[in-house]
Amino acid sequence: MEEKVTNPETKVEVENKATPEVAPKKEDARPRGKGPRRDDRRARRPRAEEVKEYEEIVVDINRVAKTVKGGRKMRFSALMVVGNKKGKFGFGMGKAGEVPDAIKKALEAAKRNTFEIHIVKKGSTIAHEVVGVYGATKVLIKPAPEGTGIIAGGAVRAVLELAGIRNVTSKIYGSRSRINVIRATVNGLVGLKSYDEVQLLRGKEAK
């Protein structure tokens, strides 16, 4: 009788082929039904948007140079107007070596330099005609009926729009330097009288 010889290595190899080892699944340590993981970005709550007190407009950005002992030093100046469109507005200038820094400085200066005016006809226009003067610049601002819109140049439009005036006409006389135009516009708006004061000056009873 022939004896059957079994090779132990072959036997082990066959057994391994027949029953391949499967890596055990890692069980999730987090219990089910307990909400999303902390690292799941899709489940994060959106951040609450900050409510801005003022809206801002960059009116002008200039490159300025200062001559020093070592040569010319280049910087940037920014002119900004801010307002809440409810009668409160302001303007400011800032200088820095980079444009973003100049805008940031101008924004901070504008928030410190604010004014408040009275708007009539449900926040539509001004009470009466007014002329603002600054240096060689004069700005004429006249009230207008509903639907007219803001008929004004760039610098004057920025101030009137952020102040909340929707129907008005204007005209610039003399120098058209943007900073002087804004200062003249502010000078005129600050000199506005309320609707009741105008009625009393005209000899009428205030409503």
Side-chain angles (χ1 to χ4, degrees):
M1 295 179 63
E2 295 182 0
E3 294 182 0
K4 294 181 180 181
V5 179
T6 58
N7 190 345
E9 296 179 358
T10 306
K11 186 176 181 182
V12 172
E13 186 177 355
V14 172
E15 288 179 357
N16 290 340
K17 286 184 180 181
T19 57
E21 293 183 2
V22 180
K25 293 183 179 180
K26 294 182 179 179
E27 294 184 359
D28 195 351
R30 176 179 56 87
R32 298 185 180 277
K34 294 294 183 180
R37 293 182 179 180
R38 292 182 180 178
D39 59 347
D40 190 359
R41 295 183 179 180
R42 292 174 297 179
R44 290 180 181 176
R45 296 180 180 178
R47 293 182 179 178
E49 296 183 0
E50 296 181 0
V51 180
K52 288 187 177 181
E53 182 182 359
Y54 299 105
E55 295 185 25
E56 60 263 6
I57 294 177
V58 179
V59 178
D60 193 21
I61 295 177
N62 283 327
R63 189 176 66 175
V64 294
K66 181 180 180 181
T67 304
V68 295
K69 187 176 180 180
R72 299 179 68 187
K73 188 176 181 180
M74 307 301 296
R75 302 180 75 192
F76 294 92
S77 68
L79 174 61
M80 290 195 68
V81 177
V82 299
N84 61 358
K85 293 188 175 182
K86 295 179 181 179
K88 194 173 183 180
F89 63 96
F91 71 96
M93 290 189 68
K95 292 182 182 180
E98 299 292 337
V99 174
D101 295 335
I103 292 175
K104 185 178 179 181
K105 286 184 178 180
L107 181 60
E108 293 174 355
K111 289 181 178 179
R112 293 193 301 266
N113 184 33
T114 57
F115 308 88
E116 197 162 356
I117 60 172
H118 180 71
I119 305 174
V120 299
K121 292 186 179 180
K122 298 180 180 179
S124 173
T125 187
I126 57 179
H128 58 89
E129 180 180 319
V130 69
V131 178
V133 181
Y134 186 88
T137 304
K138 290 184 180 180
V139 178
L140 170 65
I141 307 172
K142 297 175 66 175
E146 186 69 32
T148 303
I150 300 175
I151 301 176
V156 181
R157 172 183 287 272
V159 176
L160 297 175
E161 184 179 343
L162 293 186
I165 302 171
R166 298 194 303 270
N167 299 291
V168 73
T169 60
S170 70
K171 177 68 177 176
I172 303 173
Y173 300 96
S175 172
R176 292 178 177 268
S177 170
R178 293 186 178 180
I179 181 61
N180 284 358
V181 168
I182 289 179
R183 285 171 174 163
T185 305
V186 172
N187 175 260
L189 293 177
V190 170
L192 282 171
K193 295 179 176 61
S194 66
Y195 182 79
D196 295 340
E197 290 173 346
V198 174
Q199 292 294 92
L200 291 173
L201 289 173
R202 293 176 178 176
K204 300 179 181 180
E205 293 183 1
K207 295 182 180 180

